[in-house]
Every structure is written in structure tokens, then in C-alpha cells.
């Protein structure tokens, strides 16, 4: 059963967090976008992932470590983390809605994990038996601390969702072991792949054990001292507080920033927020895809330089977009500033969600923004971080709609739903009726148990223009500035209603002139959704060879039977004359003016590659402006 | 003194060459484009390069090998090649015009080279003394055969230019040594860096020694057998005749093709031409920059995949464009097909010529098609292949204007000049009066010693449209098809004149839709010249942030005092509002429609980075089409 404590990042008692979470279990989604995905996660994704965890030896490794099976360790040395992330996904699913099958599977896996723990508390199935002597010998590369961090997260999430302590106890024992090993006066150390920082903070939040918080702080402070080699790749080239920009391995960079944001919310140390703010600006102003994806380079799975954002050669790992989303969620909790919700939303609906197929069982690791038709989602990967990450993000959605603060209730994401939010000593029921993200009209029914004065903060997305709000039919705000929260403070009573109207015109975007990869081309967004053109929507044409007629009217069309229900966009376009290009690399403008006028149809980027394979591009050429 | 035999590629007796060369010494350039460059080469470039050859130990290495100086070998193991290439450059300069200083310098260097030759004929200053035992131990990496090839070229060129045999004798001794070492029944072997193939063929042409031709053929045939490791990088992944495309290290690929084209002209083996044709199509249709530069990737100095043509990250080594030019020159000699002259011209005037500064003493190695302002020519490089290559190409220009065939005289490049061409047992004087490449009107005065019937073939560039020809004031051809040679066959007599008029409108080009790096942008060409926009011509604006108004009239302006005399192009343009982009990575089209209307001025790409440093781009965004 879901408990009211099933928060992903529990800032309830964090002194320096502006916002406090509303648990997953408090929000019931009834929309056409997320609710089916949550159901699919329970019914398809989690069970099939469990099969693959078994099939690929990931669970065998735990039984082997427990002495129940024999043979060699299977797979990659960080594969334990996938099991922990799957548990975390199960926890969020269970917090949202009870599912006996998922809970039984998870309980069984937890039993296997618990049995594998070494009597001294250590737990990593790779470093068992003959490898035991090599524990902690290579923090830079071997991911023991990373796996531990995921264990902590999974354990905390499962405890919050089910009330069951077994995995939490395992986590606590391992955390104690790590705390006894590393720290001032003990061994130096920091992870080559961050994750444990936020894991330890969350474990602290769940258990109240200050040592875990201190240990997380210690590991953050160890960076930049060369303990793990001093490379940019590892964000070890400078002390955290001095990092000038987002660099190196993108997921590591984002996870590290998550940990630092968590630490900030506990300690309030300004230097941490200053560094985070600096990196956030560098990322959002120079190193982030229009999808919210990050990590432009295949080489090192890394952030590129400023404005280095190739499309076909984009790396933009699914985990990178997810990590970007969860970092921004933390920044939002810390500050209550809407710009972080923008990036959270952007990276969630686009860069992250593209990582999973509509069938709930195929995944992208790499997310190019253009394809010649050969890039497809896979059932699994040797390094399977992305599949087990997307379930965590989707699972968190119910907990991402609202937060609270002393002043009232904050709405961040919009989706048809019923929420029962604990606030001011009572429960406030908020019913959202909306077709968001396909339409920007959101109606709220506000039902406090008893009338009371408090604020409702409505997010006015940074991408919007001309949003307006009315309460009980009366205009409350006209042309609200985008990129903020509109505060409705009043005495709320049962029967009150709010209407938020966020216009969602189709917009063509251009990139900063320094972005060479997209100069002279256009990307289409509507509301929070980034679009792309695929050949399958365009008579199998090579969409790389198409141009949109800029300024021509764009038709929006709700297609309930297409790709789970989407709004498609159509406008006038031109398709290059393939004949003209036969055996030619360059042609004069005059030679290409012909082409074929045709309707150009775009569909959401997150849904691409779910039908007939073919070329795709987010950035299209334009004519006429 | 120049001799009539100073041909760069002497196909006079090549059975399967369509065209025969007109020696450098037969053509005296009197134009404002090349003639000053040839003078500068004699007066500035060759002497300063000689100083650097000394300063960097390249000449020391020869004296050391001769036992005249002691100490360690200096520099890189293939540095001998730079000395040989410099000699070749001197030879072309001397073939064009006597220069006592250059000849003395060259003679002195040749003395040093000759003294360094081992009694057994071997010559490589790196493999001397304690390294002697390692001769030929690593053909893949160590460039001994490559250096030998450059020696042969330099020796042949110097002999043809000056009649002096000393270096030719050195070359013959070394070639005999190599021939005694490698071949059927001897050692297997082929160079990791091609060059010797064409060097041996030219040495055969100069000496008549068939063994050299056979040895070149042997080395070509050795490829694809794994003798040097079998990598794409070395074009050793398949037998030459099976190579599907241009791949791997670009300069190696082009030099190999030069050698194969030379072999074809001697043997007439169709399989060679078939492979060359296949690779030429792959290159020109998918892997060549609009400048004629090749080798898109920094990694491995290599050809990219199809349509992989990044701009800021272009490698496009100067040597690659030069190698492309000299391969196409050979293809032209072999076939008489105009399309090869197009690429020769394109790569010469643009991709290659950009490699040297207007001061004649600074060089590009890497030739990006866009720069943020930090890429500048250097005085020299540790690996200095490019500086000593550009002198060869510029030096060859007088020999590239004309060729002959049984039918008559062919004009390929246009430049104000006087040529005395041996044809049909007499000398035909051809005076060209033209401002090419800035204007497409070319007038010829034809003066045979005695009247005679023969053809004059005029190249009608593939980039042209609507060229027409008149003889003695009468229209001879109307709207001649571009991409061919217009044959004027008649009885020519003294006083005859030809007028060729090639219109040179400014043209904006677009790239094939698969070229992601330039999609949606435009490059400007006029005649054979590729243009770029530099901040220095545009009020120091960031030209990456500019767009040209497509379809707006373009003003051409002859600027005699600018960059050695150029035609600049100006059109209406728009400069993005920098304020609007402040701290933004993406903006909606509406937010960027403002901008500042302004004149956009473009100058030839080859001349960029000769003034105030700043951003540059070949491909600019457009508005209005």
C-alpha cells in the first residue's frame, strides 16, 4: 500500500529547502499521458526488466555472493546498480498503486540482495571471494560507491513506499561500513561515478543519522584533490565549489550536482549554490539540447564545449536527460524558482521520455536529434543504466506535480489528476482537469477539508506567453509573466475553482548563432513538447531533404489513435527534388528552388522510432523568413 | 635557365595519357593573381623556408649523415621529405624564371643531400649509424619509401628545370637500391604513406628505366595484402582495385590515387581507372568540401563518412587539397575530361591557396570553413608537410594552363600570360588577356610561326553557364555546354584572335540534404572562387550571427588594394540582435526577427585570416528564400 511518505527527495525537514514534497501516493493521475505509462510500467516494464535482470546474471550475481550458486561473476562490475534502480522503480510504482506481482518480485529480489551482504556490511557482488581483497582499491573506475548510492536510494524508496525495512537495514549496514572506512582520519576517497552523495543524503533524511550526511559532505569535499586522478571526465579537476562549467562525463556531472544540491538543502552552504548556479547557467545557456538532453559527445559520454551540440552525432544519453531532470527537481525544491521547473519539464517530456519505446520494453541509450533511419531502441544494453533509470523518472511523476511550502501549495506539472495534499493540518484535495501537455487549459477544483487561507502557486512556464488565471470565473491575472509562479492567496473553501489558461501556439525555434550544428535551421515546439519530422509521417520522404515554409499556418491535430494519443503538427513545406541532387554535393540555390510543395507533418520527438524506420530530424530547414 | 622540359607530370611519351604537358618554362604569367605569387615564392617563401630547414635541423640531419657534423638526429623521422619538396619547389620556380639566389641555395642543399647518401645508395638521414640496422623494418609507420618518393620528384623536377644531374643521380642510385630490395622474389613491401609510386613513375619517365615503373606497380599491387597491417587508415584494407571509396588518411589516399593514375597512363590498365573513377565519384559526390578540401576528420587526418563535412571542426589539411588538385591534374591528363579540371581549379584556388598567407611565410595546416577567431596561420609546424607542399603547387601553375594532344592545344586555366607552345613541329604563341579569376572574359591572340590547321580546346568550366566563344569577332559558339572543352578547329594564322566569355554571376550554393553541418545555410561562389564572411569586413560583427538576404542584388567590387587585389561581394544582410541572445541558447523565430539590417561583405576564402582576427564562416544563414 502506498504510504504518505513516498517522496523521492524528502525535503520535509531540510532547513534550506524552499519546497517540501507531496508524496507520490498523494497524487492519483487520471490523464491520458502519464497514467497509461504508469500502468504500463507496472504491467510490462518492471516485469520484463525483472526477467532480464535474471537472464543477464544480475540476480545470479547476488545468489552467487550469498553462496547459493557457483560460477563466475556475470556481466559488468557495476551491474548491481541496475538491480537497485529496478527496486527503486518498483517502489515508486507501488507508491502509486498497489500491485501484488511487482511487490512479490521486489520482495524476492530484496531477499536475494540481503542474503548477499557480507557480515561486515560490505555489499558488492563483484568484489566477493577472490576479489574481496581488492575492495575499494580503485574508486576511480570500479563504481563500488556508485552502486552503494543506488542501493541507498532503492532502499529508502522501498521503505517509504511499502514500510518494509529489510532493504533499508541492508543499506544502513553498508552505509555504516562505508562510514567506518572513509572520512577524516580514515581513508580518503570519493567516487569516480557520483551517486552516493545524494544516496547518503536521502538515507540521512530517512534515518536521521547525521553520519551519512557528513560522509556525503566529505566525499564532495574530497573532489579536486586528485584522489581519483584529477580528470575533467570525473569532475575531479577542481574542487567542486570552483568548477567553472559542466564538463566531462555528463551523467557523472549531473549526479554530482544532484548530491551538491541535496547537501545545500541540508547545510545552506552558499558556495555550493553559487557553484551550482554557475554550472546551471553554463549548461542551459551553452551546453544543453533543445530536448533537455545533455552530453553532446560520444567520446567520454561527455559534455561538449560551449555551443557544441551536434545532432546526428549527439550522444545525449537517456541517463543524461534524466539526471538533468532530477538535478533541476532538486534545484526547484531548494529555491522555488520556476526556471528549474522548466528544465525539469523539458528534460522529462522530451530528452528522457524518448529513452523508452511506447511498448514499454525497448530503450534508447543514445538520443540523436537526427537519424538517417538506422538508429533504433534496443531490448537491453550491456551497460544497462538507461532502462532502469527511465522507470525511476516515470515513477516519480506523481510526486512531481505538487510541492508545498509554509505559504501554501505549489503546482509544477499539469496533468489530469486528483491530489490529496497534507497542508496546514488538514488535507486539501486538488482535482486537475486538463489535456496537458496537449492543451494549456487547466481547471482546478479546490477542496480543503475546512476553509482556510493559504496560497496556491501556479507555475507559469517560461516557454509560455499570455497565460491568464481566473478564480471562480473571475479574472485573477492577465498576461502573467512567464517563468514564474502565480500566487493565488485567499481563503479557499470547498467548491472553489481555478482556471489557468496557458496558450500553446506552435513555435519555431532557432539556436544561438554559435551553435554551428543547427545554424540556419528550425526546431518546432508546442507547449513543453519538442517535435521532429519522421519519414513515416511524410510519405516516406527523406525528411532531411525537407524545408518548412516559415510563417505558413500550422495545423494542430489531436490524433487519439496515434502513438498513444498525440497532437501532430502540419504546415506547408517543400521537399527537395531528389533528381536534382543525383550525384551532386552542392547546387546553386536556383537549381534547388524547385522541389515539391507538400505538407510537412511533425510528431513529438519523444515518440520517434516507434513505427516504420526512416530518417528523422528535429531541426529542419526553413523557407521564407 | 628554364628548359622546355620542365613538366611536372611528363606524359609526353605515356601511351595512355590523353594529354601531354606544356612545360612550365613555356608559359610566362603576366597576371595580377599568380605572377605576384610566383615572384613572392622566389623572393620570400623559398628563402625563408630554406632558413627554417636550417634552423630546425633538417639540413643538419644531412650533414650529420654525411659525417660532417655530430649530434642526435633532429626533428621527426620523415623530415628529409620537406627538404626534397623544397628542392622541387625551387625547381618549378627556376623553370619559371631564373633566380641566382634560389639556384645557389638549391645547389648547396643538393650537395649536402648527395654527400649524405650511403655508398650502397640508401638515403634517409634518420636511419643512419646505430639505426642503420633498422632500415625498412617498419614500412607502415616510418616513411622511408615516402621520403624516397619525394626525393625522386625533387630530383626529376630539378633536372628538368636546370639540366643538372647531381640530384637525379642520387635518386637513381637510391631507386636502384630500393629496386634491389623490394619486388617479386625479393622483399614484400609497400609504403605506409604513399608517394613513392608517383615518384617512381616520374623517375621512369625521366630516365626511361622500366624497372622503376615495375617497382611502382609492384608497390601498388602489394596493397590490401596486410603487408602494412591492413588498416583503412593506410588504404591497406583492400586491394587497390577493389577500394570502394576514399577513406582513411586523406593525403595518403590522394597520393595513392596519384600513383595509380600515373601507372594507368603508362599501362592503360582499365581496372585502375575504374577504381579511380569510383573513388572520384565518392569523393566529389559525398566527401569533398566546397573549397576542394578533403579529409573532414581531425581523428586520423581522415576522410569522414559520406556527407560528414563539419565546418569549424573541419580538418581539410592543406596537403589534402593539394593532393586532391594534383590527383585531378593526373586524371585530366589521362582522360581530357573537363570535370577533373574543375576539381583541380577548385582545390587550387581555394582549399590549397588558403594554406599560405599573403605574406608568403605563414601557413595553415588545418583549414576550417568556420572559425570563432582563434585559428591562425603559423610560421612553421613540427610536421611541416604543408608549407613545402604549397610551393610545389604554386610553382606548377604555369605548367597547368595548357596541354597538347594530337589534335591541338588545350587551355585549362585562364590567366593573363604569354605561352610559346611546341605543337605540330612549330611554336604556337598564345597570348591570354584576361582578369580571370575575377572576370570571365578571356581574349587569346593566336600566333603560329606558320599557318596550320589544328584545334584549340577551350575549357568551359563546369560551374559556368552561358559561356560563348567568338573567333576573329565572329560568334563561334552560343551557350556552350558547361563542363567540357569547346573545340575550335581551323587553319590558324598569325593575327587570329579568340574571345571566350564566361559569365561570372555570384551564386549562392546549398549542400546536399544529407550534409548535416551545412543544412539550411548558403555558401557564395563567383567563378572559381569560394567566398567567406569575416568580421573584419563587417564592422567587426560576429559573422556567425549574420544572415544574407537571399535574392537581394549582390554588388561586386574590384578592390585593387585589398588582399593583393580581390573582388569583394556585398549584399543585404541581417545581423542578429546580440542583446536578444544574451544568456539564451534557443529563441523563437519571432524573438529573432528583429536584428539589424546591414550590408554583408564577403571576401575570397583563400585570403581569410590575413587581417584583423575575428570570426569567419563560409556557410551563412539566409533569409527570404
Amino acid at each position: 500500500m502506498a504510504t504518505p511518505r513516498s517522496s523521492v527527495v524528502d525535503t520535509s525537514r531540510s532547513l534550506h529547502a524552499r519546497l517540501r514534497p507531496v508524496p507520490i501516493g498523494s497524487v492519483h493521475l487520471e490523464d491520458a499521458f502519464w497514467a497509461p505509462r504508469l500502468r504500463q510500467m507496472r504491467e510490462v516494464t518492471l516485469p520484463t526488466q525483472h526477467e532480464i535482470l535474471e537472464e543477464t546474471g544480475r540476480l545470479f550475481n547476488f545468489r552467487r555472493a550469498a553462496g547459493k550458486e557457483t560460477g563466475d561473476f556475470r556481466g559488468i562490475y557495476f551491474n548491481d546498480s541496475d538491480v537497485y534502480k529496478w527496486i527503486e522503480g518498483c517502489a515508486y510504482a507501488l507508491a502509486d498503486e498497489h500491485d501484488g506481482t511487482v511487490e512479490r518480485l521486489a520482495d524476492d529480489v530484496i531477499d536475494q540482495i540481503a542474503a548477499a551482504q557480507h557480515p561486515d556490511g560490505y555489499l558488492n557482488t563483484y568484489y566477493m571471494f577472490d576479489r574481496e581483497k581488492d575492495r575499494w582499491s580503485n574508486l576511480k573506475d570500479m563504481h563500488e560507491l556508485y552502486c552503494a548510492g543506488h542501493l541507498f536510494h532503492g532502499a529508502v524508496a522501498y521503505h517509504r513506499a511499502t514500510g518494509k525495512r529489510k532493504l533499508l537495514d541492508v543499506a544502513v549496514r553498508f552505509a555504516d561500513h562505508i562510514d567506518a572506512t572513509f572520512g577524516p582520519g580514515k581513508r580518503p576517497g570519493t567516487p569516480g561515478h557520483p551517486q552516493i552523495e545524494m544516496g547518503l543524503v536521502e538515507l540521512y533524511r530517512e534515518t536521521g543519522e547525521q553520519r551519512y550526511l557528513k560522509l556525503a559532505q566529505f566525499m564532495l569535499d574530497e573532489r579536486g584533490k586528485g584522489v581519483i586522478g584529477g580528470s575533467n571526465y570525473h569532475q575531479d579537476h577542481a574542487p567542486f565549489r570552483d568548477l567553472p562549467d559542466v564538463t566531462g562525463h555528463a551523467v557523472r556531472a549531473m549526479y554530482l550536482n544532484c548530491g551538491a544540491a541535496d547537501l545545500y538543502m541540508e547545510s545552506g552552504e552558499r558556495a555550493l549554490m553559487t557553484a551550482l548556479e554557475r554550472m546551471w547557467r553554463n549548461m542551459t545557456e551553452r551546453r544543453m539540447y533543445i530536448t533537455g538532453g545533455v552530453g553532446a559527445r560520444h567520446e567520454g559520454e561527455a559534455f561538449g564545449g560551449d555551443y557544441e551540440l551536434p545532432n546526428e552525432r549527439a550522444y545525449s544519453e537517456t541517463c543524461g536527460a534524466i539526471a538533468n531532470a532530477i538535478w533541476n527537481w532538486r534545484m526547484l525544491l531548494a529555491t522555488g524558482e520556476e526556471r528549474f521547473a522548466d528544465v525539469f519539464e523539458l528534460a522529462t517530456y522530451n530528452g528522457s521520455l524518448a529513452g523508452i519505446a511506447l511498448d514499454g520494453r525497448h530503450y534508447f541509450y543514445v538520443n540523436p536529434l537526427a537519424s538517417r533511419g538506422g538508429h533504433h531502441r534496443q531490448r537491453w544494453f550491456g551497460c544497462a543504466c538507461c532502462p532502469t533509470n527511465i522507470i525511476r523518472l516515470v515513477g516519480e511523476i506523481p510526486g512531481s506535480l505538487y510541492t508545498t511550502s509554509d505559504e501554501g501549495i505549489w503546482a509544477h506539472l499539469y496533468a489530469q489528476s486528483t491530489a490529496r495534499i497534507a497542508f496546514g493540518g488538514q488535507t486539501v484535495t486538488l482535482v486537475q482537469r486538463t489535456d496537458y501537455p496537449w492543451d494549456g487549459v487547466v481547471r482546478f477544483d479546490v477542496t480543503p477539508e475546512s476553509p482556510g487561507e493559504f496560497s496556491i502557486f501556479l507555475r507559469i512556464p517560461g516557454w509560455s506567453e499570455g497565460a491568464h488565471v481566473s478564480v471562480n470565473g473571475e479574472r485573477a491575472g492577465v498576461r502573467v509573466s512567464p517563468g514564474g509562479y502565480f500566487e493565488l492567496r485567499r481563503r479557499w473553501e470547498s467548491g472553489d475553482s481555478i482556471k489557468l489558461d496557458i496558450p500553446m501556439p506552435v513555435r519555431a525555434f532557432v539556436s544561438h548563432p554559435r551553435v554551428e550544428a543547427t545554424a540556419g535551421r528550425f526546431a518546432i515546439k508546442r507547449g513543453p513538447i519538442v517535435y521532429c519530422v519522421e519519414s513515416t509521417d511524410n510519405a516516406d520522404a527523406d525528411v532531411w531533404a525537407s524545408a518548412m515554409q516559415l510563417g505558413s499556418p500550422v495545423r494542430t491535430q489531436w490524433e487519439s489513435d496515434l502513438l498513444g494519443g498525440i497532437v501532430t503538427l502540419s504546415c506547408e513545406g517543400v521537399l527537395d527534388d531528389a533528381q536534382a541532387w543525383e550525384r551532386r554535393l552542392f547546387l546553386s540555390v536556383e537549381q534547388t528552388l524547385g522541389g515539391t510543395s507538400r505538407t510537412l507533418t511533425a510528431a513529438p520527438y519523444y515518440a520517434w522510432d516507434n513505427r516504420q524506420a526512416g530518417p528523422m530530424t528535429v531541426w529542419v530547414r526553413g523557407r521564407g523568413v
Side-chain angles (χ1 to χ4, degrees), chain A:
Chain A
M1 286 297 296
T3 81
R5 295 177 52 252
S6 59
S7 308
V8 175
V9 181
D10 186 358
T11 54
S12 309
R13 286 180 296 275
S14 303
L15 290 178
H16 304 277
R18 175 90 173 85
L19 305 178
R20 294 187 291 269
V22 168
I24 289 171
S26 304
V27 181
H28 187 62
L29 286 164
E30 295 144 356
D31 69 328
F33 194 92
W34 291 113
R37 286 181 163 78
L38 288 164
R39 188 179 326 114
Q40 184 187 57
M41 185 166 81
R42 283 193 307 278
E43 296 174 0
V44 178
T45 310
L46 289 169
T48 55
Q49 288 197 359
H50 179 266
E51 284 169 27
I52 296 173
L53 293 178
E54 188 61 83
E55 170 191 323
T56 57
R58 282 167 169 82
L59 298 180
F60 161 86
N61 287 337
F62 283 96
R63 294 193 296 274
R64 169 182 176 271
K68 292 175 184 156
E69 295 207 55
T70 56
D72 290 338
F73 175 89
R74 295 193 196 154
I76 312 179
Y77 51 86
F78 51 68
N79 277 359
D80 289 1
S81 62
D82 300 324
V83 178
Y84 302 142
K85 285 158 75 181
W86 177 83
I87 297 272
E88 190 180 342
C90 291
Y92 300 148
L94 294 172
D96 179 54
E97 189 160 325
H98 180 68
D99 185 297
T101 308
V102 168
E103 188 160 359
R104 269 192 305 280
L105 288 174
D107 283 344
D108 175 64
V109 169
I110 287 169
D111 287 343
Q112 297 185 48
I113 295 169
Q117 188 166 34
H118 199 277
D120 67 2
Y122 182 89
L123 178 53
N124 185 300
T125 68
Y126 181 77
Y127 284 106
M128 298 299 296
F129 312 121
D130 52 323
R131 290 204 190 90
E132 206 179 301
K133 64 183 188 313
D134 298 324
R135 284 180 186 178
W136 313 125
S137 61
N138 183 352
L139 297 183
K140 176 162 74 76
D141 302 316
M142 296 305 287
H143 288 52
E144 285 160 285
L145 295 172
Y146 166 84
C147 289
H150 276 302
L151 167 64
F152 303 162
H153 263 292
V156 167
Y158 205 72
H159 183 241
R160 287 179 186 160
T162 65
K164 297 181 181 176
R165 284 199 60 94
K166 186 166 194 172
L167 194 61
L168 186 64
D169 291 338
V170 169
V172 162
R173 279 195 297 273
F174 193 17
D176 289 343
H177 177 92
I178 296 172
D179 182 51
T181 308
F182 296 97
K186 293 170 273 188
R187 288 175 65 149
T190 196
H193 196 314
Q195 161 64 30
I196 194 169
E197 300 84 350
M198 55 176 151
L200 281 168
V201 175
E202 213 57 42
L203 192 62
Y204 151 74
R205 289 173 180 150
E206 190 64 7
T207 63
E209 179 52 74
Q210 290 274 351
R211 282 183 295 115
Y212 305 151
L213 186 62
K214 284 186 189 155
L215 183 57
Q217 184 77 54
F218 169 77
M219 289 191 171
L220 188 81
D221 295 345
E222 283 281 275
R223 304 194 82 82
K225 298 179 178 175
V227 174
I228 51 168
S231 77
N232 280 51
Y233 176 88
H234 294 98
Q235 295 82 38
D236 193 42
H237 54 299
F240 180 82
R241 294 159 187 80
D242 299 337
L243 287 173
D245 48 26
V246 286
T247 192
H249 189 274
V251 176
R252 295 175 204 232
M254 296 290 93
Y255 280 8
L256 182 61
N257 289 358
C258 285
D262 274 329
L263 282 166
Y264 167 79
M265 289 191 277
E266 303 306 322
S267 70
E269 185 196 336
R270 288 308 310 171
L272 289 183
M273 185 50 79
T274 301
L276 288 167
E277 177 69 23
R278 187 167 56 233
M279 285 188 271
W280 189 86
R281 284 192 49 179
N282 172 251
M283 180 186 74
T284 57
E285 295 169 15
R286 300 186 172 194
R287 299 186 181 183
M288 186 178 78
Y289 283 100
I290 196 166
T291 59
V294 293
R297 288 189 191 158
H298 280 245
E299 300 74 19
E301 312 191 307
F303 276 101
D306 286 348
Y307 307 114
E308 181 185 336
L309 295 167
N311 295 295
E312 190 189 9
R313 278 279 298 171
Y315 198 68
S316 189
E317 183 183 338
T318 301
C319 285
I322 293 170
N324 186 19
I326 66 175
W327 173 35
N328 275 278
W329 180 251
R330 284 163 173 77
M331 296 294 278
L332 175 64
L333 291 175
T335 65
E337 292 183 29
E338 193 277 336
R339 59 194 168 116
F340 301 117
D342 281 341
V343 179
F344 173 76
E345 180 182 64
L346 180 76
T348 298
Y349 277 93
N350 303 287
S352 300
L353 203 53
I356 185 165
L358 294 181
D359 69 6
R361 55 174 96 201
H362 288 86
Y363 311 91
F364 277 139
Y365 195 115
V366 170
N367 290 276
L369 279 76
S371 165
R372 300 190 195 187
H375 187 72
H376 305 299
R377 291 185 186 80
Q378 306 294 317
R379 179 173 174 261
W380 200 246
F381 306 94
C383 170
C385 47
C386 299
T388 51
N389 230 349
I390 191 70
I391 57 172
R392 303 197 307 157
L393 187 74
V394 172
E396 292 175 18
I397 293 297
S400 308
L401 264 66
Y402 298 103
T403 62
T404 61
S405 69
D406 292 344
E407 305 94 318
I409 299 169
W410 300 57
H412 305 292
L413 290 190
Y414 299 113
Q416 180 114 341
S417 57
T418 300
R420 295 195 169 74
I421 300 171
F423 180 79
Q426 64 159 322
T427 297
V428 179
T429 300
L430 280 176
V431 173
Q432 272 192 50
R433 282 173 292 128
T434 179
D435 290 323
Y436 200 92
W438 309 117
D439 187 80
V441 175
V442 189
R443 295 168 199 279
F444 291 85
D445 296 329
V446 185
T447 312
E449 285 170 334
S450 55
E453 186 180 334
F454 59 92
S455 295
I456 293 179
F457 296 84
L458 300 175
R459 173 173 162 246
I460 310 301
W463 49 258
S464 71
E465 210 172 302
H468 50 262
V469 178
S470 58
V471 178
N472 298 333
E474 283 180 33
R475 195 56 78 87
V478 180
R479 296 196 64 77
V480 174
S481 300
Y485 287 88
F486 190 76
E487 180 177 0
L488 292 167
R489 185 156 195 97
R490 53 179 283 145
R491 186 177 166 81
W492 295 101
E493 53 189 64
S494 185
D496 282 344
S497 68
I498 306 169
K499 182 184 172 197
L500 166 62
D501 189 345
I502 309 170
M504 274 196 190
V506 179
R507 289 245 178 79
F509 281 79
V510 295
S511 55
H512 190 285
R514 287 277 183 217
V515 184
E516 226 216 9
T518 49
R521 280 182 290 161
F522 303 87
I524 313 169
K525 277 184 74 181
R526 182 169 176 273
I529 304 293
V530 176
Y531 280 73
C532 69
V533 289
E534 275 190 287
S535 60
T536 187
D537 288 316
N538 291 281
D540 295 327
D542 179 355
V543 292
W544 288 35
S546 62
M548 54 186 287
Q549 197 71 46
L550 296 167
S552 78
V554 179
R555 205 168 67 100
T556 60
Q557 175 75 39
W558 168 247
E559 311 246 23
S560 58
D561 295 332
L562 193 61
L563 296 166
I566 58 167
V567 168
T568 58
L569 309 179
S570 307
C571 70
E572 286 174 43
V574 182
L575 186 71
D576 285 353
D577 179 2
Q579 202 76 35
W581 283 112
E582 189 81 32
R583 301 185 52 182
R584 302 298 298 270
L585 185 51
F586 304 106
L587 288 176
S588 73
V589 171
E590 292 73 21
Q591 289 170 300
T592 61
L593 277 184
T596 314
S597 287
R598 58 186 307 158
T599 300
L600 202 63
T601 299
Y605 171 75
Y606 73 75
W608 85 278
D609 190 43
N610 276 290
R611 294 169 292 166
Q612 177 83 30
M616 176 280 290
T617 185
V618 169
W619 291 90
V620 294
R621 289 177 295 143
R623 286 203 187 177
V625 166

